Every structure is written in structure tokens, then in C-alpha cells.
Amino acid sequence: MTDSAQSLRIRWQEALVAARGGEGPDPLPYADNLLARWAEPQRAYHTTAHLAAVLDRIDTLAGHAADADAVRLAAWFHDAVYRPDRSENEERSAVLAERALPEAGVPDAVTAEVARLVRLTVTHDPAADDANGEVLCDADLAILAAAPKEYGEYAAQVREEYGFVPDEAFREGRAAVLRQLLGLPRLFRTPYGAAEWEPRARQNLLTELELLTGA
């Protein structure tokens, strides 16, 4: 097992034990099941590296969350089911959480919150009073504010995941996604995200859009 996988197993164990607040089954088989999902061959961006990055960003934003451990569990599940050619990934990921977390000893209320947060990643549009949702969505979108080289690698990985889509159709679809993101009043909802990530993310999105469209 790699050091990164072992580190993720420990992070899962800490979040699960904190969320369930008592005794329960061994957390590590659940971690291993999830890590196997995140390592599936159809993934180029939505990998364990993305999971680790989202967890790192949740740690940065944790003070804003109402229940940071529920947000961390949601991060583990938010792309646990991922098939680029399907549209119901978030729903299937939420259902997986609803099945696995009670078995792992997590209270029903926390399980419901985790599943709600996973479903929220369909739109990345949390309500103004949804602190947990703001943290998860900002952490998931923080790649948009990466340095140009890292952002370029992210964009290439997304293209790789959609390798079954012809170039022209991909350019049209990706450009529509970028325009939708640029049309949002705010990409990031937490104070930290708005201050630290928003300007660079918008510049990255504009640059990618120009490269795709030649505009």
C-alpha cells in the first residue's frame, strides 16, 4: 500500500470515528472499498489525488463548517460512483453513503446530512445559510483556482475522462460548462474561498474558454 493510500485510510478512520461518536465496526474495510472505487481505470481527474486535495481544502475551510466531519465524509462519497458516460453519478454516490454509513455506525442524522451534501455537488449551489454545503462545494471547486500549469493538467485530465466524446462535441460541451460557471455571481461561497480563490479561478476559466473557442 502506498503512503498516500495509508494516509487516506487514517483520515477516513478519524472522520468516521468522530462522526459516529461511539463504537462500531472496523472503519478500514469501508476505506478500502472507497479507495478501490476512487482508483477505477476510467478516472483521470476524479482519482484519489482529487479526494486528497478536497480533504485538504476542507481542512483549510473547516472553521466555517457546522459539522466538518460530516463534510469530510461527504467528500469521500461525492465521486465514489463515477462514470463519465452517465448522468446519475451523484445520486448513486449518495445512495451508497445512505447504505454504507449506517452499517458503519454513523447516526441517521449524520448519514442524511452526508447524502444531502453529496447530492448538492450536482449544482454546487448551496443556500446562503448552508455552511456545510459551502465548504464542500468550495473545496470541490478549488481546483479552478490552481496555478496555470496545474489547471492545465486538470483540464487535460477532464478531456481524458471524456475520451469517448468527439473533439468538436467536447469543445462545445466544455465551453458551455465554462460559460455557466463564469455566469455565476460567485464561484466560491466561503469568505476564504471568495478572497483567495475567486479571482484566479475566473482567470483560469476565461483562459480555457479562449483556448477552446479561439475567442
PDB file of all heavy atoms in Angstrom, residues 98-127:
ATOM      1  N   GLU A  98     -25.841   6.367   1.932  1.00  0.00           N
ATOM      2  CA  GLU A  98     -27.007   6.008   2.752  1.00  0.00           C
ATOM      3  C   GLU A  98     -26.999   4.535   3.133  1.00  0.00           C
ATOM      4  O   GLU A  98     -27.559   4.158   4.167  1.00  0.00           O
ATOM      5  CB  GLU A  98     -28.285   6.365   1.994  1.00  0.00           C
ATOM      6  CG  GLU A  98     -28.523   7.864   1.899  1.00  0.00           C
ATOM      7  CD  GLU A  98     -29.633   8.232   0.933  1.00  0.00           C
ATOM      8  OE1 GLU A  98     -29.906   7.457  -0.019  1.00  0.00           O
ATOM      9  OE2 GLU A  98     -30.224   9.316   1.108  1.00  0.00           O
ATOM     10  N   ARG A  99     -26.372   3.725   2.331  1.00  0.00           N
ATOM     11  CA  ARG A  99     -26.287   2.304   2.642  1.00  0.00           C
ATOM     12  C   ARG A  99     -25.100   1.989   3.562  1.00  0.00           C
ATOM     13  O   ARG A  99     -25.228   1.214   4.513  1.00  0.00           O
ATOM     14  CB  ARG A  99     -26.155   1.498   1.334  1.00  0.00           C
ATOM     15  CG  ARG A  99     -26.178   0.000   1.539  1.00  0.00           C
ATOM     16  CD  ARG A  99     -26.272  -0.742   0.219  1.00  0.00           C
ATOM     17  NE  ARG A  99     -25.017  -0.692  -0.534  1.00  0.00           N
ATOM     18  CZ  ARG A  99     -24.865  -0.124  -1.710  1.00  0.00           C
ATOM     19  NH1 ARG A  99     -25.891   0.485  -2.308  1.00  0.00           N
ATOM     20  NH2 ARG A  99     -23.700  -0.138  -2.335  1.00  0.00           N
ATOM     21  N   ALA A 100     -23.944   2.588   3.282  1.00  0.00           N
ATOM     22  CA  ALA A 100     -22.722   2.210   3.984  1.00  0.00           C
ATOM     23  C   ALA A 100     -22.596   2.842   5.367  1.00  0.00           C
ATOM     24  O   ALA A 100     -22.135   2.184   6.313  1.00  0.00           O
ATOM     25  CB  ALA A 100     -21.507   2.595   3.136  1.00  0.00           C
ATOM     26  N   LEU A 101     -22.979   4.109   5.503  1.00  0.00           N
ATOM     27  CA  LEU A 101     -22.704   4.804   6.757  1.00  0.00           C
ATOM     28  C   LEU A 101     -23.478   4.252   7.950  1.00  0.00           C
ATOM     29  O   LEU A 101     -22.896   4.086   9.036  1.00  0.00           O
ATOM     30  CB  LEU A 101     -22.942   6.309   6.590  1.00  0.00           C
ATOM     31  CG  LEU A 101     -21.900   7.020   5.710  1.00  0.00           C
ATOM     32  CD1 LEU A 101     -22.272   8.479   5.508  1.00  0.00           C
ATOM     33  CD2 LEU A 101     -20.501   6.897   6.297  1.00  0.00           C
ATOM     34  N   PRO A 102     -24.788   3.938   7.824  1.00  0.00           N
ATOM     35  CA  PRO A 102     -25.463   3.322   8.975  1.00  0.00           C
ATOM     36  C   PRO A 102     -24.825   1.991   9.376  1.00  0.00           C
ATOM     37  O   PRO A 102     -24.686   1.694  10.563  1.00  0.00           O
ATOM     38  CB  PRO A 102     -26.906   3.138   8.490  1.00  0.00           C
ATOM     39  CG  PRO A 102     -27.075   4.164   7.422  1.00  0.00           C
ATOM     40  CD  PRO A 102     -25.751   4.226   6.734  1.00  0.00           C
ATOM     41  N   GLU A 103     -24.417   1.223   8.382  1.00  0.00           N
ATOM     42  CA  GLU A 103     -23.750  -0.050   8.676  1.00  0.00           C
ATOM     43  C   GLU A 103     -22.444   0.172   9.425  1.00  0.00           C
ATOM     44  O   GLU A 103     -22.046  -0.630  10.273  1.00  0.00           O
ATOM     45  CB  GLU A 103     -23.479  -0.786   7.358  1.00  0.00           C
ATOM     46  CG  GLU A 103     -22.829  -2.141   7.510  1.00  0.00           C
ATOM     47  CD  GLU A 103     -22.543  -2.758   6.156  1.00  0.00           C
ATOM     48  OE1 GLU A 103     -23.498  -3.162   5.465  1.00  0.00           O
ATOM     49  OE2 GLU A 103     -21.357  -2.818   5.772  1.00  0.00           O
ATOM     50  N   ALA A 104     -21.776   1.307   9.125  1.00  0.00           N
ATOM     51  CA  ALA A 104     -20.509   1.640   9.781  1.00  0.00           C
ATOM     52  C   ALA A 104     -20.710   2.304  11.136  1.00  0.00           C
ATOM     53  O   ALA A 104     -19.727   2.666  11.795  1.00  0.00           O
ATOM     54  CB  ALA A 104     -19.686   2.556   8.879  1.00  0.00           C
ATOM     55  N   GLY A 105     -21.968   2.490  11.570  1.00  0.00           N
ATOM     56  CA  GLY A 105     -22.251   3.019  12.890  1.00  0.00           C
ATOM     57  C   GLY A 105     -22.535   4.497  12.955  1.00  0.00           C
ATOM     58  O   GLY A 105     -22.617   5.082  14.043  1.00  0.00           O
ATOM     59  N   VAL A 106     -22.716   5.145  11.798  1.00  0.00           N
ATOM     60  CA  VAL A 106     -22.969   6.588  11.767  1.00  0.00           C
ATOM     61  C   VAL A 106     -24.447   6.852  12.046  1.00  0.00           C
ATOM     62  O   VAL A 106     -25.319   6.192  11.465  1.00  0.00           O
ATOM     63  CB  VAL A 106     -22.551   7.169  10.400  1.00  0.00           C
ATOM     64  CG1 VAL A 106     -22.938   8.637  10.293  1.00  0.00           C
ATOM     65  CG2 VAL A 106     -21.056   6.980  10.191  1.00  0.00           C
ATOM     66  N   PRO A 107     -24.771   7.798  12.920  1.00  0.00           N
ATOM     67  CA  PRO A 107     -26.177   8.104  13.224  1.00  0.00           C
ATOM     68  C   PRO A 107     -26.950   8.535  11.990  1.00  0.00           C
ATOM     69  O   PRO A 107     -26.386   9.081  11.034  1.00  0.00           O
ATOM     70  CB  PRO A 107     -26.081   9.256  14.240  1.00  0.00           C
ATOM     71  CG  PRO A 107     -24.724   9.144  14.836  1.00  0.00           C
ATOM     72  CD  PRO A 107     -23.847   8.602  13.746  1.00  0.00           C
ATOM     73  N   ASP A 108     -28.251   8.305  12.034  1.00  0.00           N
ATOM     74  CA  ASP A 108     -29.100   8.593  10.878  1.00  0.00           C
ATOM     75  C   ASP A 108     -29.025  10.057  10.456  1.00  0.00           C
ATOM     76  O   ASP A 108     -29.016  10.365   9.262  1.00  0.00           O
ATOM     77  CB  ASP A 108     -30.556   8.223  11.185  1.00  0.00           C
ATOM     78  CG  ASP A 108     -30.767   6.722  11.275  1.00  0.00           C
ATOM     79  OD1 ASP A 108     -29.854   5.963  10.871  1.00  0.00           O
ATOM     80  OD2 ASP A 108     -31.837   6.301  11.760  1.00  0.00           O
ATOM     81  N   ALA A 109     -28.980  10.971  11.426  1.00  0.00           N
ATOM     82  CA  ALA A 109     -28.970  12.392  11.085  1.00  0.00           C
ATOM     83  C   ALA A 109     -27.700  12.773  10.336  1.00  0.00           C
ATOM     84  O   ALA A 109     -27.733  13.569   9.383  1.00  0.00           O
ATOM     85  CB  ALA A 109     -29.110  13.245  12.345  1.00  0.00           C
ATOM     86  N   VAL A 110     -26.574  12.211  10.740  1.00  0.00           N
ATOM     87  CA  VAL A 110     -25.310  12.497  10.055  1.00  0.00           C
ATOM     88  C   VAL A 110     -25.305  11.865   8.671  1.00  0.00           C
ATOM     89  O   VAL A 110     -24.874  12.475   7.692  1.00  0.00           O
ATOM     90  CB  VAL A 110     -24.108  12.010  10.890  1.00  0.00           C
ATOM     91  CG1 VAL A 110     -22.800  12.294  10.150  1.00  0.00           C
ATOM     92  CG2 VAL A 110     -24.099  12.684  12.255  1.00  0.00           C
ATOM     93  N   THR A 111     -25.806  10.644   8.586  1.00  0.00           N
ATOM     94  CA  THR A 111     -25.908   9.984   7.280  1.00  0.00           C
ATOM     95  C   THR A 111     -26.748  10.820   6.321  1.00  0.00           C
ATOM     96  O   THR A 111     -26.377  11.016   5.155  1.00  0.00           O
ATOM     97  CB  THR A 111     -26.525   8.588   7.432  1.00  0.00           C
ATOM     98  OG1 THR A 111     -25.643   7.761   8.205  1.00  0.00           O
ATOM     99  CG2 THR A 111     -26.766   7.935   6.083  1.00  0.00           C
ATOM    100  N   ALA A 112     -27.876  11.318   6.805  1.00  0.00           N
ATOM    101  CA  ALA A 112     -28.748  12.142   5.957  1.00  0.00           C
ATOM    102  C   ALA A 112     -28.034  13.412   5.501  1.00  0.00           C
ATOM    103  O   ALA A 112     -28.185  13.847   4.349  1.00  0.00           O
ATOM    104  CB  ALA A 112     -30.030  12.489   6.704  1.00  0.00           C
ATOM    105  N   GLU A 113     -27.249  14.011   6.391  1.00  0.00           N
ATOM    106  CA  GLU A 113     -26.520  15.220   6.021  1.00  0.00           C
ATOM    107  C   GLU A 113     -25.446  14.905   4.979  1.00  0.00           C
ATOM    108  O   GLU A 113     -25.265  15.659   4.017  1.00  0.00           O
ATOM    109  CB  GLU A 113     -25.890  15.852   7.267  1.00  0.00           C
ATOM    110  CG  GLU A 113     -24.994  17.050   7.010  1.00  0.00           C
ATOM    111  CD  GLU A 113     -25.724  18.268   6.446  1.00  0.00           C
ATOM    112  OE1 GLU A 113     -26.942  18.189   6.159  1.00  0.00           O
ATOM    113  OE2 GLU A 113     -25.075  19.313   6.279  1.00  0.00           O
ATOM    114  N   VAL A 114     -24.744  13.802   5.143  1.00  0.00           N
ATOM    115  CA  VAL A 114     -23.725  13.419   4.160  1.00  0.00           C
ATOM    116  C   VAL A 114     -24.367  13.209   2.791  1.00  0.00           C
ATOM    117  O   VAL A 114     -23.881  13.713   1.773  1.00  0.00           O
ATOM    118  CB  VAL A 114     -22.981  12.157   4.621  1.00  0.00           C
ATOM    119  CG1 VAL A 114     -22.091  11.608   3.499  1.00  0.00           C
ATOM    120  CG2 VAL A 114     -22.150  12.446   5.866  1.00  0.00           C
ATOM    121  N   ALA A 115     -25.463  12.477   2.752  1.00  0.00           N
ATOM    122  CA  ALA A 115     -26.135  12.219   1.476  1.00  0.00           C
ATOM    123  C   ALA A 115     -26.641  13.514   0.848  1.00  0.00           C
ATOM    124  O   ALA A 115     -26.553  13.706  -0.374  1.00  0.00           O
ATOM    125  CB  ALA A 115     -27.278  11.236   1.680  1.00  0.00           C
ATOM    126  N   ARG A 116     -27.162  14.431   1.675  1.00  0.00           N
ATOM    127  CA  ARG A 116     -27.621  15.722   1.156  1.00  0.00           C
ATOM    128  C   ARG A 116     -26.466  16.480   0.521  1.00  0.00           C
ATOM    129  O   ARG A 116     -26.597  17.066  -0.574  1.00  0.00           O
ATOM    130  CB  ARG A 116     -28.217  16.552   2.292  1.00  0.00           C
ATOM    131  CG  ARG A 116     -28.774  17.894   1.845  1.00  0.00           C
ATOM    132  CD  ARG A 116     -29.147  18.782   3.030  1.00  0.00           C
ATOM    133  NE  ARG A 116     -27.965  19.306   3.725  1.00  0.00           N
ATOM    134  CZ  ARG A 116     -27.267  20.371   3.326  1.00  0.00           C
ATOM    135  NH1 ARG A 116     -27.601  21.020   2.218  1.00  0.00           N
ATOM    136  NH2 ARG A 116     -26.235  20.790   4.031  1.00  0.00           N
ATOM    137  N   LEU A 117     -25.330  16.470   1.188  1.00  0.00           N
ATOM    138  CA  LEU A 117     -24.170  17.188   0.673  1.00  0.00           C
ATOM    139  C   LEU A 117     -23.682  16.571  -0.635  1.00  0.00           C
ATOM    140  O   LEU A 117     -23.292  17.297  -1.561  1.00  0.00           O
ATOM    141  CB  LEU A 117     -23.050  17.180   1.719  1.00  0.00           C
ATOM    142  CG  LEU A 117     -23.304  18.026   2.969  1.00  0.00           C
ATOM    143  CD1 LEU A 117     -22.272  17.720   4.043  1.00  0.00           C
ATOM    144  CD2 LEU A 117     -23.291  19.515   2.632  1.00  0.00           C
ATOM    145  N   VAL A 118     -23.676  15.258  -0.717  1.00  0.00           N
ATOM    146  CA  VAL A 118     -23.260  14.610  -1.963  1.00  0.00           C
ATOM    147  C   VAL A 118     -24.175  15.042  -3.105  1.00  0.00           C
ATOM    148  O   VAL A 118     -23.711  15.390  -4.201  1.00  0.00           O
ATOM    149  CB  VAL A 118     -23.254  13.088  -1.806  1.00  0.00           C
ATOM    150  CG1 VAL A 118     -23.032  12.398  -3.145  1.00  0.00           C
ATOM    151  CG2 VAL A 118     -22.180  12.656  -0.807  1.00  0.00           C
ATOM    152  N   ARG A 119     -25.466  15.049  -2.865  1.00  0.00           N
ATOM    153  CA  ARG A 119     -26.417  15.466  -3.912  1.00  0.00           C
ATOM    154  C   ARG A 119     -26.230  16.934  -4.286  1.00  0.00           C
ATOM    155  O   ARG A 119     -26.495  17.319  -5.426  1.00  0.00           O
ATOM    156  CB  ARG A 119     -27.847  15.193  -3.448  1.00  0.00           C
ATOM    157  CG  ARG A 119     -28.173  13.701  -3.346  1.00  0.00           C
ATOM    158  CD  ARG A 119     -29.624  13.437  -2.971  1.00  0.00           C
ATOM    159  NE  ARG A 119     -29.930  12.018  -3.078  1.00  0.00           N
ATOM    160  CZ  ARG A 119     -30.034  11.184  -2.035  1.00  0.00           C
ATOM    161  NH1 ARG A 119     -29.858  11.644  -0.799  1.00  0.00           N
ATOM    162  NH2 ARG A 119     -30.289   9.903  -2.228  1.00  0.00           N
ATOM    163  N   LEU A 120     -25.767  17.739  -3.362  1.00  0.00           N
ATOM    164  CA  LEU A 120     -25.553  19.162  -3.635  1.00  0.00           C
ATOM    165  C   LEU A 120     -24.467  19.381  -4.685  1.00  0.00           C
ATOM    166  O   LEU A 120     -24.446  20.417  -5.365  1.00  0.00           O
ATOM    167  CB  LEU A 120     -25.190  19.879  -2.327  1.00  0.00           C
ATOM    168  CG  LEU A 120     -25.061  21.397  -2.344  1.00  0.00           C
ATOM    169  CD1 LEU A 120     -26.361  22.061  -2.763  1.00  0.00           C
ATOM    170  CD2 LEU A 120     -24.626  21.894  -0.965  1.00  0.00           C
ATOM    171  N   THR A 121     -23.556  18.421  -4.836  1.00  0.00           N
ATOM    172  CA  THR A 121     -22.477  18.604  -5.808  1.00  0.00           C
ATOM    173  C   THR A 121     -22.968  18.472  -7.251  1.00  0.00           C
ATOM    174  O   THR A 121     -22.176  18.679  -8.186  1.00  0.00           O
ATOM    175  CB  THR A 121     -21.310  17.632  -5.557  1.00  0.00           C
ATOM    176  OG1 THR A 121     -21.763  16.278  -5.690  1.00  0.00           O
ATOM    177  CG2 THR A 121     -20.723  17.847  -4.170  1.00  0.00           C
ATOM    178  N   VAL A 122     -24.235  18.182  -7.459  1.00  0.00           N
ATOM    179  CA  VAL A 122     -24.796  18.256  -8.813  1.00  0.00           C
ATOM    180  C   VAL A 122     -24.758  19.701  -9.303  1.00  0.00           C
ATOM    181  O   VAL A 122     -24.398  19.988 -10.456  1.00  0.00           O
ATOM    182  CB  VAL A 122     -26.243  17.724  -8.847  1.00  0.00           C
ATOM    183  CG1 VAL A 122     -26.869  17.948 -10.219  1.00  0.00           C
ATOM    184  CG2 VAL A 122     -26.289  16.249  -8.471  1.00  0.00           C
ATOM    185  N   THR A 123     -25.137  20.636  -8.432  1.00  0.00           N
ATOM    186  CA  THR A 123     -25.260  22.046  -8.819  1.00  0.00           C
ATOM    187  C   THR A 123     -24.167  22.943  -8.245  1.00  0.00           C
ATOM    188  O   THR A 123     -23.926  24.030  -8.767  1.00  0.00           O
ATOM    189  CB  THR A 123     -26.608  22.607  -8.346  1.00  0.00           C
ATOM    190  OG1 THR A 123     -26.668  22.523  -6.906  1.00  0.00           O
ATOM    191  CG2 THR A 123     -27.757  21.809  -8.948  1.00  0.00           C
ATOM    192  N   HIS A 124     -23.526  22.519  -7.151  1.00  0.00           N
ATOM    193  CA  HIS A 124     -22.578  23.378  -6.428  1.00  0.00           C
ATOM    194  C   HIS A 124     -23.221  24.729  -6.113  1.00  0.00           C
ATOM    195  O   HIS A 124     -22.595  25.783  -6.243  1.00  0.00           O
ATOM    196  CB  HIS A 124     -21.291  23.584  -7.225  1.00  0.00           C
ATOM    197  CG  HIS A 124     -20.456  22.352  -7.350  1.00  0.00           C
ATOM    198  ND1 HIS A 124     -20.542  21.503  -8.420  1.00  0.00           N
ATOM    199  CD2 HIS A 124     -19.527  21.816  -6.521  1.00  0.00           C
ATOM    200  CE1 HIS A 124     -19.703  20.495  -8.268  1.00  0.00           C
ATOM    201  NE2 HIS A 124     -19.070  20.665  -7.120  1.00  0.00           N
ATOM    202  N   ASP A 125     -24.478  24.686  -5.673  1.00  0.00           N
ATOM    203  CA  ASP A 125     -25.218  25.923  -5.410  1.00  0.00           C
ATOM    204  C   ASP A 125     -25.879  25.849  -4.030  1.00  0.00           C
ATOM    205  O   ASP A 125     -27.102  25.741  -3.921  1.00  0.00           O
ATOM    206  CB  ASP A 125     -26.271  26.145  -6.495  1.00  0.00           C
ATOM    207  CG  ASP A 125     -26.963  27.500  -6.379  1.00  0.00           C
ATOM    208  OD1 ASP A 125     -26.394  28.401  -5.737  1.00  0.00           O
ATOM    209  OD2 ASP A 125     -28.080  27.639  -6.915  1.00  0.00           O
ATOM    210  N   PRO A 126     -25.086  25.926  -2.960  1.00  0.00           N
ATOM    211  CA  PRO A 126     -25.652  25.835  -1.614  1.00  0.00           C
ATOM    212  C   PRO A 126     -26.440  27.085  -1.256  1.00  0.00           C
ATOM    213  O   PRO A 126     -26.173  28.179  -1.757  1.00  0.00           O
ATOM    214  CB  PRO A 126     -24.415  25.694  -0.712  1.00  0.00           C
ATOM    215  CG  PRO A 126     -23.327  26.367  -1.491  1.00  0.00           C
ATOM    216  CD  PRO A 126     -23.622  26.096  -2.936  1.00  0.00           C
ATOM    217  N   ALA A 127     -27.414  26.914  -0.383  1.00  0.00           N
ATOM    218  CA  ALA A 127     -28.169  28.051   0.134  1.00  0.00           C
ATOM    219  C   ALA A 127     -27.265  28.929   0.985  1.00  0.00           C
ATOM    220  O   ALA A 127     -26.215  28.491   1.481  1.00  0.00           O
ATOM    221  CB  ALA A 127     -29.361  27.559   0.948  1.00  0.00           C
TER     222      ALA A 127
END
